[in-house]
Amino acid sequence: VLQQVLKDGSEYGIKSELFSTVPRQKAVIEFSSPNIAKKFHIGHLRSTIIGNFIANLKVALGHQVTRINYLGDWGMQFGLLGVGFQKFGNEEKLKSSPLQHLFEVYVQINKAAEDENIRTLAKDFFRKLEEHDEQTLSLWKQFRSYSIEEYIRIYKRLGVHFDEYSGESFYQEKSQEVLKRLEEKGLLQKTAKGTGIVDLSEKKDLSSFSTVMRSDGTSLYITRSVNLAAAIDRMNKHNCDIMMYVTDKSQSNHFQHLFQILKLMGYDWAERCQHVAFGLVQGMKTRRGEVIFLEDVLDEARSRILQNMASAKTTKEVENPVETAEKIGLAALIIQDFQGLLSSDYQFSWDRALQSRGDTGVFLQYTHARLHSLEQLHGKGQLTDVNVASLQEPEAISVLQHLLRYDEVLYRSSQELQPKHLVSYLLTLSHVAAAAHRALPVKGSAPALAQARLCLFRAARSVLAHGMKLLGITPVTRM
């Protein structure tokens, strides 16, 4: 086992014969997908870290993955925002903190929107946008590009990247083609009010249907037609084996309808589309009261960890405490989020997330840092010709047995797309490694025995680091 771990490095567990029959696939994963001009709120954290985990796991297993961020960047709300910006906006503030400023403008204009005139102006603004009026479009483009810049900065903090930023705005014209195609196939029906619907019922009695067009002829935002256009375009472009959408479970119905309509349109690949649904986070508050914004949560996690680090007697001089606290704070958020089934709602608790003992991200980071410093102290040289026969103690055996199970855990995680299997594996690995660390000293042991034990701890640290990275966590080496 030890030879295998040290030889395979980050490939350990992945080279297992368990994966020999799994075909390599091309996967497109759509996740995160915030609405531009709105601050990144905590609901997006789940979609972002879950999508990132699935993408990381697939890439590690040799699949080809395209990560897509599908932005909410179109619709009536931009009519309102445009009018709001003309009334209350400020170019300087837009440049310096775009999402904060647009959020403030949106709040102000929403209050004013009880006035009929404002609503009419908003409709006019959006109509001009749809007609590609230059002035209107240029303001919208500013909102969009500033928003994306700020998102990229936040994604960097989360250690997440995307291959493609797409959005509803790309598919406006194409959605008209989709409506035409639905009509040609005889799938588009008009209600008495003039709304366009697609009948999804088995008996064709409209007991289940999907609305694809407003009565005024504009395609709805819920615009299944826009999302249909996006799916068709994406499949043509990427020709993928699987197309995944990572969103909360309130959208399950929407995706079920989307896939059903694609099938009715004659796209057999609709079978290869999958909705990965997750539950909601409850109880996210900072000390200042309610928090909805992701940056506030990241800052809060970082500052609480920094405080804990400052008051810990054992904290060695860490070179960059802020950066270290950021990584530990993110680990705390991710591990708390990933402990249950993704489809379950969960109650967020700062105190539980940030405990240094117990099943937390802080404990994983702490274990990794301790094993790393053990290697730094004693194991700078190459571990060659190590005689591992001396590892007879039950603590050593239980680390080895646990390392042996890594491939099964990766396999199960990839089959079920549930990070909790990997989380509970890494927490147990940390507990057995900590017990071995207490019972099997390297310092003061005979050289051959010290080498064997170092070898054991190095293997445990290597698997721990690899598993953490799959979850989207950057392991720290000191804390």
Side-chain angles (χ1 to χ4, degrees):
V1 171
L2 292 181
Q3 261 183 334
Q4 199 68 46
V5 176
L6 299 174
K7 191 181 99 200
D8 292 349
S10 63
E11 301 252 277
Y12 175 69
I14 286 161
K15 288 183 161 179
S16 158
E17 61 265 28
L18 274 180
F19 292 104
S20 58
T21 56
V22 178
R24 299 279 180 266
Q25 290 185 318
K26 269 175 94 169
V28 165
I29 305 175
E30 175 194 305
F31 62 103
S32 197
S33 308
N35 294 319
I36 68 162
K38 286 196 178 163
K39 284 188 76 170
F40 207 98
H41 69 74
I42 200 62
H44 294 121
L45 176 66
R46 283 212 93 180
S47 174
T48 308
I49 60 180
I50 293 165
N52 189 45
F53 159 71
I54 294 171
N56 289 347
L57 184 61
K58 285 192 174 293
V59 168
L61 295 172
H63 303 293
Q64 198 182 324
V65 173
T66 304
R67 302 158 185 248
I68 294 184
N69 200 341
Y70 184 64
L71 302 168
D73 61 359
W74 202 251
M76 257 321 283
Q77 74 267 30
F78 290 99
L80 206 53
L81 191 64
V83 172
F85 192 76
Q86 287 164 346
K87 272 190 172 330
F88 311 114
N90 173 317
E91 287 287 337
E92 281 314 301
K93 284 185 181 171
L94 181 66
K95 276 201 181 85
S96 63
S97 55
L99 296 182
Q100 181 59 38
H101 183 52
L102 291 173
F103 172 68
E104 287 158 6
V105 168
Y106 197 67
V107 170
Q108 282 177 288
I109 193 70
N110 255 330
K111 282 186 190 137
E114 286 156 20
D115 178 349
E116 188 61 44
N117 293 341
I118 297 282
R119 288 206 296 272
T120 308
L121 285 173
K123 274 186 185 150
D124 286 348
F125 189 97
F126 186 55
R127 201 193 62 246
K128 281 188 197 160
L129 204 52
E130 293 210 290
E131 290 164 0
H132 295 246
D133 166 70
E134 264 181 47
Q135 217 179 343
T136 318
L137 206 56
S138 118
L139 186 60
W140 170 83
K141 280 182 176 155
Q142 266 185 304
F143 294 166
R144 190 177 193 277
S145 66
Y146 286 143
S147 296
I148 290 178
E149 271 171 46
E150 195 156 336
Y151 288 146
I152 288 173
R153 185 178 58 75
I154 297 173
Y155 288 131
K156 208 170 175 171
R157 284 186 73 175
L158 293 170
V160 172
H161 72 275
F162 291 91
D163 301 302
E164 217 174 278
Y165 280 84
S166 140
E168 289 150 5
S169 58
F170 289 85
Y171 298 107
Q172 291 318 304
E173 272 110 64
K174 290 197 165 115
S175 76
Q176 296 306 316
E177 291 167 29
V178 168
L179 292 171
K180 224 167 43 206
R181 214 172 303 171
L182 285 168
E183 211 159 3
E184 285 161 11
K185 286 202 170 287
L187 294 167
L188 190 65
Q189 301 185 23
K190 292 272 173 72
T191 64
K193 287 184 185 151
T195 311
I197 60 171
V198 176
D199 187 358
L200 298 174
S201 60
E202 296 214 347
K203 296 181 179 163
K204 297 294 164 219
D205 57 3
L206 288 181
S207 57
S208 162
F209 64 87
S210 180
T211 307
V212 289
M213 192 176 78
R214 284 204 192 91
S215 54
D216 61 5
T218 57
S219 54
L220 282 126
Y221 153 56
I222 175 171
T223 33
R224 305 229 161 75
S225 55
V226 169
N227 292 347
L228 287 163
I232 294 163
D233 181 62
R234 215 171 272 179
M235 198 41 112
N236 290 340
K237 183 173 166 188
H238 295 287
N239 185 22
C240 51
D241 303 299
I242 183 162
M243 189 144 72
M244 302 171 105
Y245 298 84
V246 184
T247 73
D248 74 74
K249 59 188 180 188
S250 69
Q251 295 192 40
S252 297
N253 205 358
H254 168 84
F255 284 105
Q256 220 179 328
H257 284 180
L258 186 71
F259 304 156
Q260 266 179 291
I261 296 172
L262 285 167
K263 235 165 126 176
L264 288 173
M265 289 174 81
Y267 295 112
D268 296 341
W269 49 258
E271 300 279 353
R272 309 204 296 272
C273 294
Q274 185 181 0
H275 177 218
V276 179
F278 55 83
L280 304 175
V281 188
Q282 289 144 350
M284 261 294 187
K285 293 193 179 80
T286 56
R287 291 173 180 154
R288 289 196 308 275
E290 290 297 325
V291 65
I292 327 167
F293 300 133
L294 179 62
E295 283 236 86
D296 296 343
V297 175
L298 294 178
D299 292 348
E300 176 108 2
R302 183 175 63 195
S303 76
R304 288 187 182 217
I305 294 282
L306 269 172
Q307 261 173 336
N308 295 357
M309 280 165 64
S311 61
K313 299 280 178 286
T314 52
T315 299
K316 300 191 183 66
E317 284 304 304
V318 176
E319 272 171 30
N320 190 336
V322 175
E323 202 178 299
T324 301
E326 174 102 339
K327 289 172 184 164
I328 299 168
L330 185 59
L333 293 173
I334 289 177
I335 294 300
Q336 174 152 272
D337 194 290
F338 282 176
Q339 272 177 324
L341 273 170
L342 292 183
S343 56
S344 313
D345 300 342
Y346 78 91
Q347 193 67 34
F348 179 85
S349 148
W350 281 111
D351 296 334
R352 210 173 55 234
L354 300 180
Q355 276 168 4
S356 56
R357 296 275 177 268
D359 291 343
T360 63
V362 182
F363 174 59
L364 287 186
Q365 289 284 30
Y366 177 69
T367 307
H368 184 272
R370 276 183 77 186
L371 293 174
H372 184 267
S373 69
L374 184 72
E375 275 178 60
Q376 291 300 305
L377 279 171
H378 307 288
K380 286 246 166 45
Q382 273 298 310
L383 295 174
T384 46
D385 314 327
V386 179
N387 178 10
V388 289
S390 57
L391 295 172
Q392 296 292 341
E393 301 84 358
E395 291 85 355
I397 302 297
S398 69
V399 172
L400 291 167
Q401 285 174 328
H402 200 62
L403 290 175
L404 198 53
R405 289 188 43 239
Y406 189 51
D407 60 344
E408 294 165 32
V409 172
L410 290 178
Y411 184 75
R412 192 169 174 200
S413 304
S414 68
Q415 292 294 305
E416 297 175 21
L417 298 181
Q418 292 288 349
K420 73 182 189 110
H421 305 309
L422 184 53
V423 168
S424 89
Y425 174 86
L426 295 177
L427 288 166
T428 306
L429 177 61
S430 296
H431 286 299
V432 295
H437 188 252
R438 284 191 299 272
L440 314 172
V442 172
K443 194 177 171 182
S445 303
L449 183 59
Q451 283 273 305
R453 285 175 177 175
L454 261 179
C455 194
L456 178 75
F457 292 126
R458 181 177 285 190
R461 189 195 62 78
S462 166
V463 172
L464 180 58
H466 179 250
M468 285 165 80
K469 286 176 192 158
L470 288 180
L471 294 171
I473 296 169
T474 306
V476 300
T477 52
R478 300 185 83 157
M479 63 185 274

